[in-house]
Amino acid sequence: MGTAEGRARTPAAAGTDPVGDPYLRTRFALPARPATFLRRQRLVVHLNEALRTPLTVVNGAAGAGKTLLAADWAAGLRLPVAWLTVEAGDQRPGVFWAYVFESLRVCEARAGGAAGAPADAGGVGRGLLSSLAAELDARDRPVVLVLDEWERMVCAEVHEQVEFVLHHAGQGLRLVLVTRTEPLLPLHRYRAADELTEIRGAELSFTPEEAGELLRLHGLRLPEPATAALVDRTRGWAAGLRLSALAARESTDPEQYLKRFEADHSTVADFLLGEVLKGRTEEEQDLLLRVSVLDRFCPDLADALTLRTDAGSLLAGLHRDNAFIERLGHSWYRLHPLFREILRAHLRERLPGVEPELHLRAARWLRRSGFLPETLAHGAAGGDFDLAAGALVDDLAIGQLFTGLGSEGLAQLFTGMGPEAASPASELVRAAGALARRDLGHGLDRLRRAQDQLSDAEDSPGLAAARLSCTLLEALAARLTGCPPRAEQAAVTAEELRRDLPDHLLEEHPELTCLLMTHVGSARLWEGRFDDARAVLARAAEACGGSATVLPRAESMGHLALIDYLSGWLGQAERRALAAVSEAERAGLPRPPGAGLGRLVLAAVAVDRQELDRARVLLDETALLPAREHDPVPTAARALALSRLLLDDGETHAAAEAAGPFVSAAVTSPWAESHAAVVRSAACLADARPDEAVRLLDGVPGDQPVCAVEAAAIQVAAGRPRAAAELLGTVRAEGRTGPAVSVGAALARARAAQESGDTATARRLVARALLDARRERLRRPFLRTGDWIKPLLATASLHELAEGWLLPGRPRGTGRPARPVPDQAPLVPVELSARERDVLRRLARLMTTEEIAADLYVSVNTVKTHLKSAYRKLAVNRRSDAVHRARELGQL
């Protein structure tokens, strides 16, 4: 405390401060609020708690809106408010307290006979402070003392004196400190006693809704996404929003200006450099400039960039001073986004050429510390792609280039990799990128180079991860080239290599094993080994790993659905395909090559149920996949569904063309060839070329039951019942084939019996076929049988079995045909988003796309995106159909 022996001036002598200068009256005035000031009620409500606690701290960075918030709140109080803006010259206790006393006198918070103010600039006596505390404690109602810009007060003695007066003033004083830094007061004691109100930086940040109101006060009306993007970039920082709004207001296109404005060449930069960077020590400025290349940093990482050892204390001090450094927890920090942009620009000016080296120092530290994503980003930014690729491969994370979640961004990191990157890991990354794009030529070439380098390298534990990564790519190459033996060898090699790797590394990257199983399963499926394929694909579909394995899980479920379909189980195929589609959609996955297999199976099922419009919608969606698919299984599945759809539409020539050829493959697929042969044969039969139709069936074996029974039906139609019977006799069902096989076989035999005059047997076989088909809603085999079946279906017993799902039903008590059975529920689960429903409601009011965009404050392209998504979910392709379907499903 001071030693001024309590000397005080009387109120009459209070016209000057202890130095003899007149009081600066502007320091006692509440700051004026501009016309564009936005009162935020949530903060006012919080500040009202200051009236029940002795101490309130409003702590935030420069430009956070602290002063205007406190001033607006204070102006509305019915209590006396003493306002004092602290200045750097107040470090002498006598001067500071003289101004406090004067602020209390100005707001008439002191009695006329009260003790005066300090007369000595250098100190103030305890007696005078005790008298002030006692005077305040005796008040009937408290006085609110607001000390603005309290961060300027660095004198520890003054902090102690303020705490002394606050403690002894009792209920007569409510102290509000508006500051950028943590006050040197025992805040922990006030928190423990529930005697502290705190408003800090996060609460001071503007929400998107508040930012929208603020921009409107500045004459700007931006779409919600543009406002949200600005809030994200500024972190809701008040000054950043205001300065951006003022600058954008001068632009002819404010929205585009705010999207593109360069923070380092703006008034925002002037503000931050003037308020934050200037005045910092040389060490602090150097630290801030160097860590600007990082998204986040800790003291050790910052030391690695500065080549010093003082980052811990410097960062702690900068954070205490609210120097636009946010603490993330566990000793990690990050810079405010705008401040970081500005610092990086100044780094390039003040230390030209040092940025790549900083990235590489960061990459090396991050790699040693096990932070893979940041290692990759900084390694690539520093131009050392061998380092980045080595980190990816050593961590066994190369599968992330295929998983769909972040794979595009990961691949983008390596687009700048040049020929100087020549390590085995770099070749593996190049091979993975090419194979992910289905660029087989480059992918296989790079894979061979990596294999050669790894085979020439000496055996060491460090190469196990690279070799296992190579094996994953080998399995994918085998899948894409249709070479099952190569895939099997890759699986064997992978199992051996896994033993050389630590368990924790394999557990951290479940996507690698899941992808490997999916590739092996796809190769087995291509070869027609359904049971073996099902075994490995089921393991992949049930794999753990959350989002890391969602894509291979969805792909495996799509392959399992195709196996079910090829085995004649329509209902089971549909359920698995729906699960595959839902799994991918819930995760928000993009659609990389091969990911549309679930929809292709749904399209094939729709064809067999003669829901041809839905089949077309689903096939149109899969047509958006990359043209260079180079994946035999989904390519053959698409050919299968499309060719059968065209055949049922009567386009026989187009159907025969669509049935093949497929992508080139090392091994011929029995089921793909058989289905193609059946479609071509059926097309020839429809074109009245029965001999050619029969010739095309020579290659259809009995171990493809679905194809065999369809081939048998064609043989019967071509007048060769004996050949049909022989073919049916070779069908190996073995309990694993579904209703599509039993229905097709029964109908082929029924036609042969009918044409031989055995109507009773024909009727019995058709009845069996109807019973099996009704469960699956399998209509296609009956509708493609020809006229011979119509007299049988007209009989009462068979008509009753077909009524309502194959033939129109009749209402009870009338002779009129019933209303046609409506389409079945959509094949893809309908879960319209709130915005999709908004768009459809406006469609129902016959609004145009442009009118909807204006009404919802979004772009026309955004409306089209929502419409496209709604069409897909509702399995329609017209506006009126979308509205009708949505109403049927209770979505509108």
Side-chain angles (χ1 to χ4, degrees):
M1 295 279 182
T3 60
E5 301 298 332
R7 287 185 297 156
R9 295 171 296 151
T10 63
T16 60
D17 65 19
V19 181
D21 295 331
Y23 283 112
L24 300 174
R25 298 295 165 184
T26 54
R27 295 179 60 187
F28 305 131
L30 293 180
R33 277 83 68 205
T36 54
F37 172 76
L38 175 68
R39 176 178 290 117
R40 293 184 283 168
Q41 194 60 32
R42 63 181 176 86
L43 295 178
V44 174
V45 169
H46 193 174
L47 256 182
N48 284 336
E49 295 182 18
L51 301 179
R52 71 169 187 83
T53 61
L55 178 61
T56 295
V57 176
V58 181
N59 187 348
K66 308 178 297 297
T67 296
L68 291 180
L69 167 67
D72 182 62
W73 170 75
L77 294 179
R78 297 183 178 179
L79 296 173
V81 177
W83 183 282
L84 175 61
T85 300
V86 178
E87 293 188 349
D90 293 341
Q91 306 310 311
R92 291 174 292 179
V95 174
F96 169 75
W97 283 107
Y99 266 92
V100 171
F101 275 69
E102 183 66 8
S103 69
L104 292 169
R105 189 189 68 77
V106 168
C107 75
E108 301 180 350
R110 303 190 66 204
D120 183 359
V124 60
R126 179 180 290 272
L128 190 59
L129 296 180
S130 297
S131 297
L132 176 62
E135 177 188 339
L136 293 171
D137 187 38
R139 289 182 57 84
D140 293 334
R141 57 181 190 151
V143 59
V144 177
L145 173 60
V146 181
L147 299 177
D148 188 27
E149 300 192 32
W150 182 246
E151 72 277 357
R152 294 180 175 179
M153 179 53 66
V154 295
C155 177
E157 183 179 359
V158 170
H159 281 265
E160 292 177 7
Q161 293 168 346
V162 167
E163 206 277 325
F164 171 81
V165 172
L166 178 62
H167 178 69
H168 292 287
Q171 295 300 311
L173 177 63
R174 295 291 181 262
L175 178 62
V176 179
L177 301 179
V178 181
T179 178
R180 297 184 191 179
T181 63
E182 196 79 351
L184 299 177
L185 298 177
L187 298 184
H188 60 282
R189 292 211 301 263
Y190 287 93
R191 289 192 190 101
D194 194 24
E195 294 181 338
L196 175 63
T197 299
E198 293 183 273
I199 295 180
R200 294 190 173 267
E203 191 175 355
L204 290 168
S205 297
F206 276 66
T207 65
E209 294 75 17
E210 292 168 345
E213 293 182 43
L214 180 67
L215 293 174
R216 284 190 285 275
L217 288 173
H218 284 79
L220 296 177
R221 287 187 173 272
L222 297 182
E224 288 181 12
T227 302
L230 181 61
V231 170
D232 184 60
R233 190 177 184 190
T234 60
R235 292 277 197 276
W237 176 44
L241 290 169
R242 292 181 190 279
L243 293 171
S244 299
L246 289 171
R249 197 166 58 181
E250 304 301 319
S251 171
T252 56
D253 190 341
E255 183 178 354
Q256 287 301 315
Y257 172 84
L258 291 174
K259 279 183 181 179
R260 299 172 182 172
F261 89 99
E262 298 177 3
D264 54 302
H265 293 97
S266 67
T267 54
V268 177
D270 297 336
F271 183 95
L272 282 171
L273 293 175
E275 293 289 330
V276 182
L277 198 59
K278 289 180 180 178
R280 292 289 163 194
T281 67
E282 184 178 340
E283 291 79 12
E284 288 174 329
Q285 290 193 32
D286 182 68
L287 173 67
L288 288 170
L289 288 171
R290 290 173 184 271
V291 298
S292 68
V293 304
L294 302 168
D295 290 328
R296 61 174 191 145
F297 45 89
C298 64
D300 287 346
L301 176 53
D303 282 338
L305 267 61
T306 62
L307 302 180
R308 298 197 307 268
T309 59
D310 57 355
S313 59
L314 292 178
L315 290 173
L318 289 166
H319 178 259
R320 279 196 307 271
D321 292 348
N322 269 319
F324 287 82
I325 288 185
E326 305 169 34
R327 190 191 294 276
L328 302 176
H330 303 289
S331 299
W332 285 87
Y333 300 85
R334 69 179 174 189
L335 292 171
H336 187 285
L338 287 179
F339 193 31
R340 183 184 175 213
E341 287 181 46
I342 294 163
L343 288 172
R344 289 189 72 173
H346 278 263
L347 171 69
R348 294 172 188 134
E349 291 178 6
R350 290 170 59 170
L351 299 171
V354 78
E355 190 173 353
E357 177 57 30
L358 292 176
H359 280 297
L360 293 181
R361 289 181 195 174
R364 295 182 194 110
W365 186 93
L366 291 161
R367 186 176 183 183
R368 290 193 304 271
S369 303
F371 296 101
L372 178 64
E374 289 154 301
T375 299
L376 300 177
H378 288 290
D384 191 340
F385 288 98
D386 279 338
L387 184 154
L392 183 73
V393 171
D394 288 348
D395 200 68
L396 214 60
I398 199 167
Q400 292 179 2
L401 285 164
F402 303 98
T403 54
L405 297 171
S407 57
E408 185 175 338
L410 186 57
Q412 189 69 27
L413 285 177
F414 291 96
T415 54
M417 185 161 56
E420 69 281 354
S423 67
S426 295
E427 293 294 358
L428 285 172
V429 169
R430 289 190 182 98
L435 292 175
R437 299 189 303 271
R438 299 310 194 244
D439 184 354
L440 283 184
H442 285 92
L444 295 175
D445 178 59
R446 293 297 182 177
L447 182 56
R448 279 192 296 271
R449 293 189 191 186
Q451 289 169 331
D452 291 343
Q453 289 180 337
L454 289 172
S455 62
D456 293 340
E458 295 182 5
D459 286 338
S460 68
L463 288 179
R467 286 179 171 144
L468 184 55
S469 300
C470 187
T471 302
L472 170 66
L473 301 185
E474 183 72 11
L476 175 57
R479 166 185 171 176
L480 299 181
T481 56
C483 186
R486 187 177 182 183
E488 297 297 342
Q489 182 57 52
V492 172
T493 304
E495 192 60 35
E496 295 172 353
L497 289 169
R498 287 171 61 91
R499 294 195 286 267
D500 297 330
L501 288 163
D503 291 339
H504 74 86
L505 197 58
L506 293 166
E507 290 169 0
E508 288 171 7
H509 294 288
E511 72 278 357
L512 189 140
T513 301
C514 197
L515 284 165
L516 183 63
M517 289 191 293
T518 303
H519 300 334
V520 172
S522 182
R524 290 177 178 176
L525 169 54
W526 176 250
E527 195 177 17
R529 295 163 53 201
F530 292 166
D531 290 345
D532 293 339
R534 186 183 286 111
V536 69
L537 290 168
R539 287 168 54 205
E542 296 167 2
C544 301
S547 60
T549 59
V550 65
L551 178 59
R553 289 203 312 268
E555 278 204 294
S556 293
M557 285 189 279
H559 282 73
L560 288 168
L562 181 58
I563 293 174
D564 289 334
Y565 178 82
L566 296 174
S567 301
W569 297 98
L570 267 64
Q572 191 165 302
E574 180 187 43
R575 288 189 292 275
R576 286 192 194 273
L578 285 172
V581 172
S582 298
E583 182 87 1
E585 288 191 344
R586 278 197 301 270
L589 284 176
R591 295 189 195 170
L597 186 54
R599 282 184 170 78
L600 290 171
V601 173
L602 291 174
V605 169
V607 171
D608 279 1
R609 289 174 174 166
Q610 292 297 278
E611 296 164 347
L612 302 186
D613 285 342
R614 293 184 186 176
R616 291 186 191 97
V617 169
L618 290 161
L619 283 169
D620 286 345
E621 288 181 1
T622 60
L624 300 177
L625 293 173
R628 297 177 64 188
E629 177 66 40
H630 282 299
D631 195 341
V633 169
T635 302
R638 176 173 176 76
L640 183 159
L642 178 60
S643 62
R644 288 157 70 89
L645 174 63
L646 292 169
L647 188 64
D648 292 356
D649 280 340
E651 300 182 37
T652 55
H653 180 69
E657 285 190 344
F662 309 117
V663 294
S664 59
V667 172
T668 300
S669 174
W671 60 268
E673 291 294 322
S674 296
H675 276 280
V678 167
V679 169
R680 293 193 187 100
S681 175
C684 288
L685 187 65
D687 289 342
R689 291 179 287 153
D691 292 339
E692 187 175 351
V694 169
R695 180 181 59 78
L696 288 170
L697 295 176
D698 289 344
V700 178
D703 60 359
Q704 297 298 317
V706 170
C707 296
V709 297
E710 291 190 7
I714 294 173
Q715 292 276 19
V716 173
R720 294 165 56 94
R722 182 172 298 177
E726 291 176 358
L727 183 56
L728 291 174
T730 66
V731 172
R732 297 198 297 272
E734 300 175 357
R736 289 190 173 274
T737 56
V741 175
S742 61
V743 168
L747 289 177
R749 292 190 174 102
R751 180 169 188 175
Q754 176 77 349
E755 291 181 355
S756 67
D758 189 353
T759 303
T761 298
R763 186 182 297 113
R764 176 174 54 79
L765 289 168
V766 170
R768 183 192 302 169
L770 287 169
L771 286 171
D772 288 345
R774 184 166 60 180
R775 293 195 299 270
E776 301 276 347
R777 305 200 313 275
L778 177 58
R779 300 184 180 95
R780 187 173 188 268
F782 297 92
L783 299 180
R784 291 198 59 80
T785 54
D787 293 337
W788 70 268
I789 200 172
K790 290 181 180 178
L792 296 175
L793 293 178
T795 60
S797 59
L798 296 184
H799 191 281
E800 185 177 352
L801 289 175
E803 191 176 41
W805 68 275
L806 181 61
L807 300 177
R810 296 176 181 273
R812 292 182 180 179
T814 74
R816 298 190 306 273
R819 230 176 128 184
V821 178
D823 288 343
Q824 303 295 327
L827 295 180
V828 178
V830 177
E831 296 178 5
L832 295 178
S833 68
R835 186 57 87 185
E836 289 164 357
R837 289 196 294 272
D838 288 341
V839 170
L840 288 178
R841 290 189 188 98
R842 286 159 176 79
L843 273 189
R845 300 204 298 266
L846 302 180
M847 293 174 68
T848 66
T849 303
E850 291 74 15
E851 289 170 339
I852 295 172
D855 198 42
L856 293 177
Y857 295 100
V858 298
S859 69
V860 171
N861 284 338
T862 299
V863 173
K864 290 179 179 177
T865 299
H866 289 310
L867 278 176
K868 182 179 176 182
S869 177
Y871 288 173
R872 173 178 51 76
K873 291 179 180 180
L874 296 167
V876 298
N877 51 21
R878 293 190 304 179
R879 293 181 167 212
S880 57
D881 292 342
V883 172
H884 178 70
R885 175 75 63 173
R887 282 174 172 161
E888 278 186 348
L889 298 170
Q891 295 288 322
L892 293 183

